[in-house]
Amino acid sequence: MVKESSKTKQSKSAASSKKRRKVVAIDVFKAWCKGCGICVAFCPQEVLAQDEQGQAYPKKLEACIACMQCELRCPDFAITILTEERLNPAAGGVSHG
Amino acid sequence: MPEYTRLIYNYLRHDKKFPHVWCPGCGNGILLGSLIRAIHQTGLTKDEIVLVSGIGCCGRLPVYVDFNTLHTTHGRALTFATGIKLANPSLKVITIMGDGDSMAIGGNHFIHAARRNIDVTAIILNNSIYGMTGGQYSPTTPYGMRASTAVYNSIEQAFQISELAVTAGASFVGRQTVYNARLLDGLIEKAILKKGFSVVEVVTHCHTQYGRQNKMGSAVDMLKWQRDNAVPVEKAAKMSPEALEGKIITGILVDKELPVYEEEYNKVRAKAKGLS
């Protein structure tokens, strides 16, 4: 991948539910985020918020249920939900080049 | 586990300037993501896909993706696509057009491509206005709405793209909003796999021009408007015409089998050579 990522990594999710996918971090690629607010408006758990420049950041990371609605609708492909299984392919996730 | 953003990165041309040229919150970006996911689902390789676009905001779309791409003249995306398909029928040809591109400047090409039933997928972004050139009214601007060349209101009736495609004889016609991005993925996938002329009308928003002039708010407000006004075709069949006023009927409107142009053409060639 050519682009470099500015991770807004936060402390590990405190989500306790077993069924829930564990979200480790929400990566907002700041260089591509135009601050349209679509991800913030359509997040069912109100995880995301906009900073003073309008760009998205995870405000309540622990509430994220990894529904991927933000990834699905981001017009600029700037947001990635990083779950444990994605980061750790051995645990059944998919590896990324 | 669905892969969206990481999957899309595999299909982008990273030597192009990103973030893309469209306004913040533009539906074109959502459609681009949807199109990439749909193509990925079909299992076709990058080399098998040809993306053809005309002029307009969405004309910029093929530039960003790593398929065989062609950025053509205004309204002529379907004519170039016809040529490509007949020259090499093994390619999957997809055209990306706007409402002005397909309905006004390329209106005749559109209806005749549908009538001919050539195996091309036409994706039409309907934002009800000419966004790139300054917000002039287009053939799909609804009656009574404002545009920069209709400062009081539009006095013309709008084209219904999908209904027009059905009447013109396309073998697959579907309509979906960019708000329902996941449903849009499935619809585009079906359209690509369909043999024959397939039309996907993508109802999108232009908050910069159409939204601002008609006081419809931001991109988020316009997406909410899509969410609140989209009616699935199955539900719409049970509703009265009055209740459907101003609603967006989504889903597959037509899916039928018709003789495909290239196959018929090959039969004629064989006959002319005395082979059959």
Side-chain angles (χ1 to χ4, degrees):
Chain A
M1 211 171 297
V2 179
K3 77 170 193 92
E4 36 180 322
S5 167
S6 62
K7 261 183 204 170
T8 50
K9 204 165 186 176
Q10 291 197 351
S11 59
K12 278 208 168 184
S13 163
S16 53
S17 168
K18 276 178 190 169
K19 278 184 185 172
R20 208 181 257 187
R21 297 189 193 109
K22 247 188 185 172
V23 178
V24 181
I26 296 174
D27 176 16
V28 178
F29 187 34
K30 296 270 180 186
W32 286 17
C33 176
K34 291 176 186 162
C36 64
I38 288 175
C39 56
V40 177
F42 295 107
C43 177
Q45 296 288 314
E46 295 173 359
V47 171
L48 299 157
Q50 283 173 290
D51 62 16
E52 58 275 12
Q53 284 170 345
Q55 293 187 316
Y57 72 98
K59 198 179 175 187
K60 287 193 291 175
L61 183 66
E62 65 284 352
C64 180
I65 53 168
C67 66
M68 306 292 160
Q69 293 297 312
C70 51
E71 279 200 21
L72 197 66
R73 294 212 183 86
C74 178
D76 293 284
F77 324 123
I79 195 159
T80 315
I81 305 292
L82 298 168
T83 54
E84 267 187 349
E85 54 178 353
R86 272 189 181 183
L87 289 175
N88 183 12
V94 186
S95 69
H96 308 291
Chain B
M1 179 98 202
E3 293 283 325
Y4 296 138
T5 304
R6 296 292 177 99
L7 183 135
I8 286 164
Y9 288 153
N10 295 335
Y11 285 85
L12 296 182
R13 284 178 177 156
H14 288 280
D15 55 336
K16 297 290 171 190
K17 197 176 162 214
F18 276 98
H20 53 56
V21 74
W22 301 307
C23 304
C26 180
N28 287 11
I30 308 177
L31 169 82
L32 177 56
S34 216
L35 180 68
I36 289 171
R37 289 191 296 270
I39 290 173
H40 182 79
Q41 280 295 318
T42 61
L44 293 159
T45 63
K46 288 177 184 175
D47 290 338
E48 285 171 306
I49 303 282
V50 185
L51 268 190
V52 187
S53 74
I55 300 293
C57 289
C58 60
R60 189 76 191 154
L61 194 144
V63 176
Y64 295 116
V65 269
D66 192 16
F67 302 121
N68 302 299
T69 59
L70 200 60
H71 189 175
T72 69
T73 47
H74 206 355
R76 286 359 172 209
L78 277 171
T79 60
F80 285 85
T82 304
I84 295 164
K85 188 70 194 177
L86 287 181
N88 189 351
S90 65
L91 294 169
K92 272 280 169 200
V93 186
I94 303 166
T95 65
I96 312 283
M97 296 177 286
D99 51 321
D101 204 28
S102 65
M103 289 292 111
I105 300 95
N108 253 308
H109 298 305
F110 177 76
I111 52 174
H112 288 284
R115 181 181 64 83
R116 194 176 275 155
N117 197 35
I118 188 154
D119 185 19
V120 167
T121 307
I123 296 174
I124 300 173
L125 282 132
N126 183 4
N127 59 5
S128 312
I129 209 157
Y130 286 93
M132 185 187 249
T133 50
Q136 292 85 356
Y137 73 91
S138 82
T140 55
T141 305
Y143 175 82
M145 301 309 270
R146 282 183 57 161
S148 60
T149 45
V151 286
Y152 297 103
N153 59 357
S154 172
I155 53 171
E156 298 172 15
Q157 297 294 328
F159 256 144
Q160 303 296 322
I161 299 178
S162 295
E163 281 75 5
L164 179 72
V166 171
T167 328
S171 55
F172 183 97
V173 182
R175 191 197 274 125
Q176 196 51 263
T177 61
V178 285
Y179 172 80
N180 291 313
R182 207 175 243 157
L183 295 173
L184 185 60
D185 294 1
L187 190 67
I188 295 176
E189 190 194 336
K190 281 192 189 115
I192 291 170
L193 293 173
K194 178 79 187 174
K195 204 109 180 89
F197 191 68
S198 39
V199 180
V200 180
E201 181 189 352
V202 184
V203 178
T204 177
H205 52 277
C206 179
H207 53 286
T208 309
Q209 298 290 357
Y210 189 75
R212 182 174 54 81
Q213 298 195 45
N214 291 294
K215 300 193 169 49
M216 291 174 84
S218 64
V220 171
D221 295 325
M222 291 193 80
L223 279 169
K224 284 180 181 161
W225 172 83
Q226 287 174 18
R227 177 190 65 191
D228 299 337
N229 286 286
V231 180
V233 66
E234 297 81 13
K235 197 179 162 194
K238 294 175 197 149
M239 287 166 73
S240 66
E242 293 80 47
L244 283 172
E245 197 74 32
K247 300 281 181 198
I248 309 160
I249 301 169
T250 61
I252 299 168
L253 304 184
V254 153
D255 187 358
K256 60 184 176 189
E257 299 301 325
L258 287 172
V260 184
Y261 184 81
E262 343 39 299
E263 288 171 5
E264 295 300 307
Y265 184 71
N266 281 337
K267 281 182 202 164
V268 171
R269 285 181 69 190
K271 211 179 246 176
K273 284 177 182 168
L275 298 173
S276 64

